[in-house]
Amino acid sequence: MYRSAALILLLSTTLPSWAQTLSQTLANGMKVIVKEDRRAPVAVTQLWYKVGSVDEQPGKTGLSHALEHMMFKGTPAVPSGEFSRRISAMGGSLNAYTNRNETVYFQTVAAKRLPEVLEMEADRMVNLNFSDSEFDNEMSVIREERRQRTEDTPGGKMWEQIYQSSFQTPANRAPVIGYMDDLFRLKGEDLRRWYRQWYAPNNAVLVVVGDVDAASVLQTAENLFGHIPARELAGRNNLQETAKRTPAEAETTALTRQPLLALSYRVPGLEKLGDKMPYALDMLSNILSGNSASRLDKNLVRGKQAALDIGANYDMLSREMPLFNIIAMPAEGTDTRALQALIEAEIADIAANGIKADELKRVRNLAAASEIYAKDSMSSQASVIGKLETRGFSHRDEAELRRRLQAVDSADIQAAAKLLVPERRSVVVVNPQVSE
């Protein structure tokens, strides 16, 4: 085991000594970061737009996700469907996603084809051209996507209810895909207006990682994107919520054999590098879940056998107030109230007594391993860079972030556990749907 870990570490740190990361902010405000990684003759490109569901208004939810779909419907130079066809013809792959904070378009291609990909991205940043009939057809696809992924799945219904129960601000409550009523109301012109409002170089970050010459790629980006004018961006929604609130509970039903239980706590996110609590919350999530040695798995899944599955998650890098979520599926014979009490007892134990030295060592090792594995993937490297840059930090902060995670001690984690109290909590239960 230790020999394998040492080998992974060796492989992950044997980049050529001349590999470098260069960045530049173009005159129009677009940030470009290029990281050399010459282990394979490919390049990953990610174009991040800082717009997601938290930027939308009531009655217009789902705009960001719908626009992501329409961005493949073509420009005068690259007709509908041609973007994907060209990437496939290069032997490459592509996709896109929208979340609460941003919309990201990404491709992996042979490094020599990178300029062609960047040219197409620059083109659709300013020349998107779709018809109302294409919009209507795609909205039918999106509505069906909502039915399949949200309304007809227990996990989808759970996550939508988590945000509904955890927040008061409409932008924080809204689902990324949008409410179904809004998906019927949206018009093609709504998306065109959203495109003109947010798809601008001064609201974008371009990340390239791969077998490239960084200086050359910066010049290519300057040539292709530098002439695109900046735009005045609309004001952002006020996403502030109070840390404490009246505890909320909600129940829904879905086609599932076993119930689902979600405990979600309002907690602080990372606003500046020197904040301590977010790092401790991140480490606490790994103390509670993530592998067979974690508290909840060891004590409640394998020990008391009260849960079939259980996990915790927390994202410290978030524009809105983040949630510390614990998601569990009770075992046969355990109801959700009993499982909730067991979970809260585990949290209370950490809050009262802290953690053991071997637990701290384990989560520090996990954090170190995460860094190693991230370096082993070009896509992961690009994602870390893009996330830092679009959420208020610099790609240069990565090493310091990881150093501060490693500096978290038992007292810090104990303090983090003390934040997980009923005054910050919402509880969501998804019960099995009863056949009529």
Side-chain angles (χ1 to χ4, degrees), residues 59-217:
K60 301 288 186 181
T61 63
L63 274 171
S64 302
H65 174 255
L67 180 54
E68 174 213 316
H69 279 238
M70 299 309 296
M71 284 291 284
F72 294 91
K73 298 305 178 183
T75 69
V78 184
S80 182
E82 185 69 9
F83 194 111
S84 299
R85 190 199 67 78
R86 291 186 187 181
I87 298 295
S88 296
M90 296 176 190
S93 61
L94 79 163
N95 214 325
Y97 66 85
T98 305
N99 60 31
R100 299 172 64 77
N101 292 275
E102 59 262 331
T103 309
V104 185
Y105 302 86
F106 54 95
Q107 303 87 26
T108 301
V109 295
K112 64 182 180 181
R113 310 303 293 268
L114 178 63
E116 299 170 63
V117 176
L118 295 182
E119 183 177 8
M120 291 194 294
E121 283 289 18
D123 176 44
R124 68 177 176 176
M125 181 181 279
V126 287
N127 296 316
L128 180 63
N129 183 33
F130 59 85
S131 66
D132 285 342
S133 62
E134 286 179 309
F135 167 79
D136 291 338
N137 290 338
E138 200 62 30
M139 290 307 297
S140 295
V141 172
I142 293 171
R143 288 191 291 268
E144 183 59 27
E145 180 183 345
R146 179 183 163 83
R147 291 187 190 98
Q148 292 182 359
R149 296 188 179 183
T150 300
E151 298 176 0
D152 293 344
T153 68
K157 295 185 81 170
M158 176 194 70
W159 279 107
E160 183 160 292
Q161 192 61 61
I162 284 173
Y163 287 105
Q164 287 284 303
S165 300
S166 296
F167 295 118
Q168 278 73 50
T169 303
N172 288 333
R173 291 162 58 92
V176 173
I177 199 168
Y179 298 114
M180 185 64 86
D181 287 349
D182 291 348
L183 298 182
F184 276 103
R185 281 195 294 260
L186 292 180
K187 303 298 182 184
E189 190 54 38
D190 293 323
L191 263 71
R192 296 184 186 101
R193 188 160 45 245
W194 197 247
Y195 171 71
R196 293 190 296 269
Q197 186 172 337
W198 295 111
Y199 277 49
N202 48 314
N203 197 44
V205 175
L206 174 65
V207 182
V208 176
V209 177
D211 186 16
V212 298
D213 177 79
S216 177
V217 174

